Amino acid sequence: MQENLIQIDFSQIESLDPCIQGGYKIIFNQEIPFMIKFPDQEDQSIVENIKVRIMILGNGKDLQQLTLELSSENDLFFYYFHTVDKDNFQVVKTNQKLNTDFFGYPDVCVKTFKRCQLEQQHFAPVLYIQQNARAQVNIVQTLEYKELTLITFEMIAGDEEIIKQHVYYKHGAVKSKFQILNAKIKDIHELVKVKNPQLLLHLQKYLPN
């Protein structure tokens, strides 16, 4: 029973995420520091943590589509995505000079952003916010004497309907998780009250009313 009090399962809430409906599977989900540049402020930039999610539909030789998603916990209306399927991958491969086929593209994306996460001194994602609801992510490697752009991801901003779904889900998920955590705290309170009332009295001295 005590182990169940500690464990919190949010999987049911997360399964309602509109971005993974239809059979999508999340294969990467991490916050990474991005350098963000704007078209009217080319000589200025900001650094902000951006949540990067990579989702696939299908797997292995049955892969149908990959979506790279950028969002921000600080701005619910910030949402960009990059989607590639079998039909348009050849254009991406040619433009980026990739030496992989479509089925290996998810691994390329995951490894790229893992390096940005784990080797931040040498690999950094730079997000260029552009006009017409578009953006571009350059993965930049810092060498001894210069910087080298390894790969570029062309991004599109979510339209009004996508943003609405995203905001509704985020708001609902936060509210639901808060309710679950609040209920869990009450359960722990009752357990401590029964098992060790002296400890509860001690804790209450330091907890807000």
Side-chain angles (χ1 to χ4, degrees):
M1 179 179 176
Q2 294 181 21
E3 290 183 357
N4 291 334
L5 285 174
I6 297 173
Q7 294 175 355
I8 301 177
D9 184 9
F10 293 136
S11 60
Q12 188 172 358
I13 297 172
E14 292 167 352
S15 68
L16 300 176
D17 188 341
C19 295
I20 61 172
Q21 302 307 309
Y24 280 88
K25 176 185 177 183
I26 299 173
I27 59 173
F28 185 84
N29 183 9
Q30 296 290 337
E31 274 196 341
I32 300 174
F34 272 64
M35 181 178 291
I36 304 177
K37 294 179 176 289
F38 300 90
D40 55 344
Q41 302 173 4
E42 295 184 2
D43 58 338
Q44 299 181 13
S45 62
I46 62 173
V47 176
E48 183 175 334
N49 284 339
I50 299 296
K51 176 169 281 191
V52 178
R53 295 202 305 178
I54 301 173
M55 298 164 284
I56 57 173
L57 181 62
N59 198 10
K61 294 301 181 180
D62 294 322
L63 180 67
Q64 300 173 44
Q65 193 173 80
L66 173 142
T67 296
L68 164 64
E69 171 197 273
L70 304 181
S71 62
S72 171
E73 295 298 324
N74 297 323
D75 182 0
L76 292 179
F77 296 91
F78 177 94
Y79 188 88
Y80 286 88
F81 66 95
H82 161 88
T83 297
V84 177
D85 57 25
K86 293 179 182 180
D87 295 331
N88 61 15
F89 174 73
Q90 191 58 45
V91 175
V92 173
K93 179 176 181 176
T94 300
N95 291 343
Q96 299 302 313
K97 299 179 181 179
L98 300 177
N99 59 358
T100 184
D101 58 16
F102 174 64
F103 307 110
Y105 190 54
D107 285 341
V108 170
C109 296
V110 170
K111 288 177 181 178
T112 296
F113 284 100
K114 275 187 176 179
R115 299 191 80 170
C116 293
Q117 179 191 19
L118 300 175
E119 303 177 57
Q120 295 180 17
Q121 291 184 339
H122 302 290
F123 298 90
V126 182
L127 174 64
Y128 295 89
I129 304 295
Q130 302 172 346
Q131 303 293 344
N132 302 321
R134 292 187 174 273
Q136 179 177 292
V137 174
N138 286 354
I139 305 301
V140 178
Q141 181 182 9
T142 301
L143 303 176
E144 185 175 0
Y145 298 109
K146 67 176 183 178
E147 292 184 341
L148 178 66
T149 298
L150 298 179
I151 188 170
T152 297
F153 300 96
E154 299 294 338
M155 314 294 299
I156 301 175
D159 59 24
E160 183 177 352
E161 183 60 29
I162 290 176
I163 295 295
K164 184 190 298 183
Q165 292 179 5
H166 181 70
V167 171
Y168 282 173
Y169 166 72
K170 284 284 188 179
H171 180 267
V174 169
K175 184 177 179 180
S176 298
K177 288 179 180 180
F178 175 79
Q179 291 173 342
I180 291 173
L181 287 171
N182 194 41
K184 188 68 66 174
I185 290 172
K186 289 181 179 178
D187 290 342
I188 293 173
H189 179 277
E190 291 301 317
L191 178 64
V192 175
K193 184 178 179 180
V194 173
K195 296 289 187 180
N196 195 334
Q198 292 299 320
L199 175 60
L200 181 60
L201 289 173
H202 179 73
L203 292 174
Q204 286 176 337
K205 294 179 183 179
Y206 302 95
L207 294 175
N209 295 326

